[in-house]
Amino acid sequence: EVQLVESGGGLVQPGGSLRLSCAASGFIFSDYFMDWVRQAPGKGLEWVARIRIKADSYTTEYAASVIDRFSISRDDSENSLFLQMNSLEIEDTAVYHCARVGRNGGTTDYWGQGALVTVSS
Amino acid sequence: AIRMTQSPSSLSATTGDRVTIACRASQDINIYLAWYQQKPGKAPKLLIYGASTLQSGVPSRFSGSGSGTDFSLTITYLQSEDFATYYCQHYSSYPLTFGGGTKVEIK
């Protein structure tokens, strides 16, 4: 069974940093691209970032709203995905989901339950 | 960035109804379109990808159609467990973007 479990969320002041982790199990993690997607309270879904696999040099893509502030990475030996978030803004307050990119052309087929990040003074 | 516009933003229906949700892309995305269902407090669930391909395990009362810029999700014979919010998402280029969502409520 595919499982994705996020951790590392919490309360942080504007301008601060936070690192989210996602523990993956039930599939060969190193074979799949991975995404972070967020959802602000009461709002819709926003794609944040994607990381490819080793064969694609672990290249990354980002939403314009987070580029130069957020960094996605992975540790295939630990079956883990990360999101380093710097220079956090109030608008970054959201539940952050990690999601597996399926072998279906590029959309996500499994999602974690998410980690809440609250940016507030 | 490609803008995804869903309509309506909400609708009321009863069990047994046929429901259709529309999604329009601001430019041609071929068939790189997915539909998700989300229930309160839960992670989104993939229903359809490639505009019309049903994800494994999804009931056949869900169907998708369209290509280019205009797409739709249809639920035939709405069931109680289908009351949720539905999102379309394109994955034709970066950044990936979602529609604003359609909340299907009980009439």
Side-chain angles (χ1 to χ4, degrees), chain A residues 33 35 37 39 43-47 50 52 61-64 97 104-114, chain B residues 32-34 36 38 41-46 48-50 55 87 89-91 94-101:
Chain A
F33 296 5
D35 281 0
V37 180
Q39 187 168 32
K43 302 297 184 182
L45 300 167
E46 180 185 15
W47 174 82
R50 174 169 289 181
R52 297 180 179 87
E61 307 285 348
Y62 294 93
H97 298 274
N104 54 19
T107 194
T108 47
D109 59 0
Y110 285 94
W111 296 54
Q113 287 302 307
Chain B
Y32 297 109
L33 191 283
Y36 295 88
Q38 187 179 32
K42 300 294 187 182
K45 173 187 174 183
L46 177 65
I48 287 168
Y49 61 92
Q55 173 70 352
Y87 294 93
Q89 180 206 33
H90 90 83
Y91 52 101
Y94 296 100
L96 313 184
T97 51
F98 290 88

Side-chain angles (χ1 to χ4, degrees), chain A:
Chain A
E1 178 192 6
V2 173
Q3 287 198 330
L4 298 167
V5 180
E6 301 89 343
S7 61
L11 175 64
V12 61
Q13 292 188 336
S17 298
L18 208 58
R19 189 190 196 213
L20 300 181
S21 300
C22 172
S25 61
F27 65 103
I28 301 174
F29 179 73
S30 59
D31 284 352
Y32 288 83
F33 296 5
M34 295 294 295
D35 281 0
W36 286 99
V37 180
R38 68 184 181 183
Q39 187 168 32
K43 302 297 184 182
L45 300 167
E46 180 185 15
W47 174 82
V48 172
R50 174 169 289 181
I51 187 166
R52 297 180 179 87
I53 58 176
K54 183 178 181 180
D56 295 298
S57 303
Y58 297 124
T59 52
T60 58
E61 307 285 348
Y62 294 93
S65 59
V66 306
I67 202 164
D68 294 332
R69 298 189 300 122
F70 289 12
S71 178
I72 187 172
S73 62
R74 63 192 297 162
D75 184 340
D76 291 344
S77 68
E78 295 290 332
N79 293 332
S80 294
L81 178 72
F82 305 102
L83 185 67
Q84 177 66 43
M85 302 183 292
N86 299 329
S87 302
L88 281 160
E89 302 168 353
I90 290 174
E91 295 73 25
D92 295 318
T93 295
V95 173
Y96 285 74
H97 298 274
C98 70
R100 189 183 82 168
V101 179
R103 293 177 177 175
N104 54 19
T107 194
T108 47
D109 59 0
Y110 285 94
W111 296 54
Q113 287 302 307
L116 176 62
V117 173
T118 303
V119 184
S120 175
S121 56

Side-chain angles (χ1 to χ4, degrees), chain A residues 104 107, chain B residues 29-35 46-54 62-68 70-74 88-91:
Chain A
N104 54 19
T107 194
Chain B
I29 59 169
N30 199 332
I31 59 167
Y32 297 109
L33 191 283
W35 290 97
L46 177 65
L47 299 176
I48 287 168
Y49 61 92
S52 61
T53 302
L54 208 61
F62 291 92
S63 64
S65 65
S67 67
D70 291 301
F71 303 85
S72 63
L73 172 71
T74 297
C88 62
Q89 180 206 33
H90 90 83
Y91 52 101

